[in-house]
Amino acid sequence: MKRFIPEPRRPETLFDPCIKCTICVSACPVAQTTATFPGPKQAGPDAQRFRGRGEPVEGPWINLCSGCYRCQVACPADVPIAEINLFAKQRYAAEKGRDVATELLTHAHWFNPWGQRFHWFATPLLRMKWARWLAEKLFGVDRRAPLPTFARESFRTFARRHESPRAKHKVAYFYGCFTDSNAPEVGRAVVKVLEAAGVEVIFPVQQCCGAALIGAGNFDRARRQDAANLAAFEQALDQGAEAIVVGSPSCALALSHETGEVLGLGHSAVYSRVVDLFTYLHRLDEAGELNLKWKETPLHAAYHEACHLTALGFGAHAPALLRRIPGVQVRVLDAGCCGLAGTYGLKHKTADLARQIGAGVARRVAEWRPDVVLSECEGCRMQIEHLTGVPAKHPAEVLADALVE
Amino acid sequence: MRRVLVIGGGLAGLTAAIEAREAGAEVALLQAGQGVHHLFSGCIDLLAYPQPDGPAVENPLEAIARLAPEHPYAKIGGDAVVRAMVGFQRRVTEHGLTYLGDGRHQYRVLTAMGTLRLTGLTPLTMAVDPAQIDVVCSIGPYRNFSAGLVADGLSRLTKKNVRTLAFEVAQGELDAMGLAAKLAEPAESARFGDFLAREARGLTVAIPALLGLENAEEQKRSIESRFGGVLVEVPGLPPSIPGLRLMHALRRIALDRGVRIAQNVRAVGALDGGGVLRGVKVRVADLEREETADAVVLATGHLVTGGVVSTRGALREPVFDLPLSFPAGESFFRSRFLDRAGHPALSCGVIVDSSLRPLRDQSPVYENLFACGDILGGFDPYRERSGGGVALSTATVAGRLAAGVAR
Ligand SMILES: Cc1cc2nc3c(=O)[nH]c(=O)nc-3n(C[C@H](O)[C@H](O)[C@H](O)COP(=O)(O)OP(=O)(O)OC[C@H]3O[C@@H](n4cnc5c(N)ncnc54)[C@H](O)[C@@H]3O)c2cc1C
Ligand code: SF4
Ligand code: SF4
């Protein structure tokens, strides 16, 4: 057994264990779709040797890595390939800068409050052809890409007035920007399910997890946000929260791994307490403490496991729980990456590639014709709706609707 | 419900998980990376060379019955091998894969080197007598296949003049995965079929193994219907599409049956309950947590995938520190890469009893731990050509025993 390691690992130094097996290359959705990206082995461990001080940065191809983590998940030698690529993107951006689309899309949390305040204007605006055309020309945001709608009331506002009943278990909920501004119904469903399961939910003041910023190599900005998040959630743990439940897999990955390993924010008690909702419910169940009652809910659902949920290493616990609801049929898609990958599917430069990557998911959904596609990740939900026209939901929404109150 | 934890996502791990699930257990499979499928031809070898310097055997099941007692096949017995084969063939047809073979004879499959290899179970797309092949067709711009080399070898073997053809599916550089995806597009398949109709109507044509990851058999039939001949896949260098095809099918079978597959997670130690395992300690990057279970199946493979690791001049099993069968005083590797006698390091592995429980000083280390696949000692999958068969059949037994039912 290895010793306890107080500081998180440093992925940018971990290229040596590569045994050159090329397993990662056959797992990379981008390398399979375009010859312009050399693939994870060359982009990651191979090139990393030559990224010392004074070495010139590579070509813009490094930005074709979508950050899906599939290479890292597939590697048998534990090479943190996707994280190495993040460092390479940072290095590239520091020298060559970032394009407007990337800057815009990774700072969505700046615009969200405005989009929200003026939702009656912003949502229809984002549906207008001329506005989208203009946004593509001016900012490089693909005019056909899926964009979210703004909610009337943010989740934050709901959370401020919501008092969770005291209970045996207590968790802190990290809801994330998308749930806050664009899908507060997901947040309310998560809270409803947790409370029904006998869990008190608290809502520490939080900022954007920075996942999109990290993905674009903008570590400085992300560092400021996550330092604040760590402080807020460490305090929540001190106040008796036993876990930090995160609704969105990419936020969870940012808070539990990227914050320490990529941003270098040092050790924190937060990392190992971060779980997705369904892993938390599974733990309650294993302890014999999950007593939820379901009503008959006829539903034929396809479940899509988000790449970042896979990277978290818990596996998908949602299908098994959903199958307990009488009438619900769930089949796991297992058709690869949907292509959206944060901002990848939104930028004009990569949107077509993203749609090609998602073709496998789209094909399987078209074959099965489910009533709904379920996924914890909002990016996947947007992209799958965009590609297939089948509505997509967070699996917590199905649980919340099926609860006997 | 009995909870079974399987460690490893290769042929052995997936098979054990499916088997345990079918036997009624709640099953979670953990894997630190992918198995060796992407290096794997797609053919399931049963046994071809039981003796280092002996001839090839034509009837694998008969040879299995005569193996030394430390061989994994000998521990589980020939009947278990037959049951595993039949179970495997039944399941993969659910996902559109047909595997031919009954264990009583060998198939001869053409390789990308223009040689023949013996194998026990073969995918339908490769199951053609090489003597029937008239034409070898390359698929451009795939670099790892030389139609000339294959045709030369084949001509020499069959004393028949084998022609070559070249078809282009794409421009620029795309690896096997990209090319297979391109060729699987209905329009490309049709264009290929029409090309063969002009150049090789009614003939038997060998191509590199680049039919799609999904629906390969359907694609084969649709191309064949256009040129009225027979299409044969030739397995070659990694990434191997037939190997990945098989992995995808097994994964989906496992998921359809409700196995939870957690990836990116490495088992690093035992949760020791005094002679029984309560579960395992696992790690994602630096974060450690526990996974509890009523029984554990160890299917972590060998040197390539970290089931066995070499540290400071010794070979170790890193999860439970199980004793390994390694002949004392032997060096790991012989000096010749393709030595007929194999390499000692490759036949070293976990020592087990007839219930596949790892042993220390002749008694089970944990009564609820079972091992299967490449991690087992007492055989050399490469020299014997028995890797796939041992993985399938020992996993079938381990999965059932872990689920608490009779083998
Ligand atoms: C290059 C090559 C080609 C081969 N070709 C053939 C062939 O054509 N036909 C044939 O029959 N056999 C072939 N074999 C033999 C092959 O090794 C076996 O047949 C079989 O695939 C082994 O399966 P396995 O599941 O035991 O191991 P693997 O496929 O190696 O899988 C091991 C799994 O365990 C995981 N793992 C390891 N350690 C841990 C840990 N601590 N925690 C969690 N997970 C862990 C790995 O990530 C991996 O998922 C080939 C082998 C190689 C290396
Ligand atoms: S999978 Fe890992 S070990 Fe294999 S080539 Fe890629 S980085 Fe190297
Ligand atoms: S993170 Fe995804 S896109 Fe980037 S190299 Fe890895 S597999 Fe490819």
Side-chain angles (χ1 to χ4, degrees):
Chain A
M1 279 296 305
K2 261 199 226 154
R3 286 169 294 115
F4 174 65
I5 306 167
E7 286 299 311
R9 67 178 185 180
R10 296 182 50 211
E12 74 275 30
T13 64
L14 296 176
F15 50 85
D16 250 352
C18 172
I19 53 170
K20 311 295 172 205
C21 67
T22 72
I23 284 180
C24 54
V25 184
S26 57
C28 172
V30 177
Q32 278 158 45
T33 312
T34 172
T36 52
F37 180 61
K41 174 176 157 290
Q42 281 185 43
D46 287 1
Q48 189 65 6
R49 296 176 191 282
F50 303 104
R51 290 187 184 127
R53 246 173 225 282
E55 306 266 4
V57 299
E58 54 261 68
W61 53 258
I62 188 65
N63 293 320
L64 284 176
C65 165
S66 76
C68 71
Y69 275 76
R70 287 191 161 253
C71 49
Q72 186 158 330
V73 164
C75 173
D78 293 348
V79 178
I81 317 167
E83 290 173 312
I84 289 176
N85 288 354
L86 292 174
F87 282 93
K89 283 187 189 173
Q90 184 211 24
R91 194 165 166 269
Y92 181 89
E95 200 175 304
K96 303 267 162 113
R98 273 175 294 268
D99 55 34
V100 189
T102 307
E103 284 296 274
L104 204 63
L105 292 167
T106 55
H107 288 84
H109 53 286
W110 286 359
F111 311 111
N112 281 344
W114 296 101
Q116 204 156 358
R117 180 163 309 167
F118 301 105
H119 66 90
W120 45 270
F121 173 69
T123 298
L125 182 71
L126 292 183
R127 295 284 170 278
M128 286 181 186
K129 278 208 170 119
W130 62 267
R132 294 300 300 269
W133 179 85
L134 203 64
E136 180 173 302
K137 294 290 168 233
L138 290 178
F139 311 127
V141 177
D142 189 78
R143 68 179 189 283
R144 287 180 299 154
L147 286 184
T149 52
F150 288 99
R152 209 172 277 262
E153 184 195 59
S154 68
F155 182 75
R156 196 176 293 254
T157 312
F158 163 86
R160 227 174 273 136
R161 62 159 195 271
H162 182 79
E163 190 80 44
S164 196
R166 291 204 163 236
K168 181 176 168 202
H169 298 282
K170 177 161 143 184
V171 301
Y173 178 32
F174 187 95
Y175 39 83
C177 312
F178 189 93
T179 297
D180 186 25
S181 304
N182 311 108
E185 67 279 7
V186 170
R188 291 196 298 267
V190 170
V191 173
K192 183 174 168 192
V193 172
L194 283 168
E195 287 175 358
V199 182
E200 179 186 346
V201 188
I202 57 171
F203 310 96
V205 174
Q206 50 197 271
Q207 307 203 16
C208 169
C209 69
L213 289 167
I214 298 170
N218 192 347
F219 295 179
D220 291 338
R221 175 91 229 153
R223 222 171 256 135
R224 264 176 279 161
Q225 295 170 194
D226 276 324
N229 282 330
L230 290 186
F233 281 84
E234 276 164 13
Q235 199 187 358
L237 293 175
D238 290 342
Q239 288 163 357
E242 58 189 34
I244 296 155
V245 171
V246 183
S248 160
S250 301
C251 304
L253 193 66
L255 288 175
S256 57
H257 289 281
E258 293 175 340
T259 302
E261 295 166 36
V262 179
L263 300 181
L265 285 177
H267 183 70
S268 167
V270 167
Y271 306 151
S272 59
R273 301 290 191 87
V274 167
V275 283
D276 65 285
L277 172 71
F278 288 86
T279 299
Y280 180 73
L281 295 175
H282 172 78
R283 287 182 187 168
L284 286 184
D285 190 37
E286 287 223 303
E289 299 189 30
L290 189 69
N291 302 305
L292 295 172
K293 298 222 171 11
W294 310 112
K295 57 181 179 236
E296 178 81 24
T297 306
L299 188 73
H300 168 39
Y303 174 80
H304 171 76
E305 181 174 328
C307 298
H308 287 175
L309 187 81
T310 309
L312 283 173
F314 299 116
H317 282 105
L321 190 56
L322 289 162
R323 284 182 184 126
R324 292 197 196 164
I325 305 171
V328 172
Q329 278 179 307
V330 189
R331 214 173 155 197
V332 178
L333 277 171
D334 195 40
C337 176
C338 75
L340 194 91
T343 58
Y344 203 77
L346 306 180
K347 283 185 274 192
H348 186 51
K349 275 187 198 158
T350 44
D352 264 332
L353 206 53
R355 280 186 279 265
Q356 282 173 43
I357 290 172
V361 172
R363 205 178 316 118
R364 221 153 140 83
V365 171
E367 271 166 33
W368 290 0
R369 303 159 143 277
D371 305 328
V372 62
V373 178
L374 301 176
S375 182
E376 285 91 335
C377 171
E378 52 272 346
C380 304
R381 294 200 298 270
M382 283 201 298
Q383 175 84 338
I384 293 173
E385 281 190 349
H386 168 63
L387 293 175
T388 66
V390 176
K393 283 186 172 181
H394 191 291
E397 294 180 81
V398 175
L399 291 194
D401 287 346
L403 279 173
V404 175
E405 287 167 59
Chain B
M1 212 194 275
R2 211 173 144 83
R3 292 170 311 143
V4 171
L5 194 65
V6 177
I7 312 172
L11 189 55
L14 282 165
T15 303
I18 295 167
E19 201 68 49
R21 181 77 192 139
E22 284 185 356
E26 183 186 316
V27 183
L29 182 151
L30 310 178
Q31 65 182 99
Q34 273 182 30
V36 297
H37 341 55
H38 104 299
L39 312 168
F40 188 98
S41 66
C43 302
I44 306 281
D45 301 338
L46 292 175
L47 179 66
Y49 304 96
Q51 303 305 326
D53 34 21
V57 296
E58 288 299 333
N59 184 334
L61 282 172
E62 204 177 270
I64 282 170
R66 285 185 271 109
L67 288 166
E70 67 272 10
H71 198 287
Y73 275 143
K75 306 226 168 180
I76 58 171
D79 290 347
V81 180
V82 174
R83 268 201 304 277
M85 265 171 28
V86 173
F88 167 78
Q89 287 169 318
R90 168 178 53 80
R91 280 182 204 125
V92 290
T93 51
E94 276 175 39
H95 280 266
L97 289 184
T98 312
Y99 268 78
L100 302 167
D102 59 4
R104 305 218 164 265
H105 70 278
Q106 304 277 19
Y107 276 90
R108 282 173 170 72
V109 170
L110 183 60
T111 73
M113 299 296 294
T115 55
L116 297 182
R117 90 201 272 291
L118 299 184
T119 190
L121 299 182
T122 174
L124 178 82
T125 55
M126 297 177 196
V128 168
D129 177 3
Q132 305 287 320
I133 296 170
D134 308 296
V135 179
V136 181
C137 180
S138 63
I139 294 192
Y142 185 53
R143 293 233 198 98
N144 293 339
F145 184 86
S146 156
L149 179 72
V150 177
D152 274 358
L154 198 54
S155 302
R156 225 170 298 130
L157 287 164
T158 60
K159 311 275 182 283
K160 173 172 158 184
N161 187 20
V162 179
R163 258 197 313 135
T164 64
L165 281 174
F167 177 76
E168 292 285 322
V169 274
Q171 303 286 307
E173 276 190 57
L174 267 187
D175 73 348
M177 300 285 289
L179 279 171
K182 186 90 186 127
L183 188 61
E185 289 171 10
E188 281 305 308
S189 278
R191 200 166 68 81
F192 185 43
D194 294 342
F195 167 83
L196 292 179
R198 284 194 304 276
E199 307 286 339
R201 180 171 290 281
L203 299 180
T204 297
V205 182
I207 56 164
L210 293 174
L211 293 177
L213 274 179
E214 290 173 42
N215 305 331
E217 293 179 15
E218 219 178 283
Q219 192 188 353
K220 169 180 147 82
R221 279 189 295 274
S222 95
I223 297 172
E224 284 174 347
S225 71
R226 286 188 175 255
F227 80 101
V230 176
L231 211 54
V232 192
E233 278 196 303
V234 179
L237 289 179
S240 158
I241 305 294
L244 288 162
R245 212 181 271 155
L246 177 57
M247 175 191 83
H248 282 247
L250 289 173
R251 255 182 74 85
R252 287 177 172 182
I253 291 165
L255 290 168
D256 277 352
R257 288 177 174 41
V259 172
R260 170 171 63 96
I261 300 182
Q263 305 186 65
N264 206 25
V265 48
R266 184 170 290 280
V268 293
L271 293 177
D272 195 334
V276 283
L277 276 176
R278 287 192 298 110
V280 293
K281 284 186 206 146
V282 303
R283 201 176 277 160
V284 179
D286 293 335
L287 303 182
E288 200 164 290
R289 60 166 209 271
E290 299 182 347
E291 289 267 350
T292 55
D294 301 314
V296 177
V297 175
L298 184 69
T300 46
H302 213 268
L303 283 165
V304 179
T305 47
V308 172
V309 294
S310 90
T311 40
R312 280 173 255 109
L315 293 176
R316 284 185 56 231
E317 186 288 303
V319 185
F320 302 107
D321 214 1
L322 300 169
L324 298 178
S325 63
F326 192 78
E330 284 254 34
S331 59
F332 288 0
F333 296 102
R334 293 188 214 286
S335 50
R336 279 176 46 214
F337 182 60
L338 296 176
D339 200 300
R340 283 294 299 265
H343 297 285
L346 301 181
S347 60
C348 105
V350 172
I351 311 156
V352 291
D353 66 8
S354 62
S355 300
L356 300 179
R357 287 177 302 185
L359 300 173
R360 176 175 286 128
D361 304 327
Q362 275 137 51
S363 53
V365 183
Y366 299 104
E367 64 185 53
N368 57 345
L369 174 67
F370 306 88
C372 57
D374 264 7
I375 184 76
L376 295 172
F379 81 118
D380 179 341
Y382 310 99
R383 181 185 62 65
E384 296 172 5
R385 289 295 161 88
S386 61
V390 167
L392 272 188
S393 46
T394 54
T396 303
V397 172
R400 292 184 65 81
L401 292 173
V405 299
R407 57 173 55 188

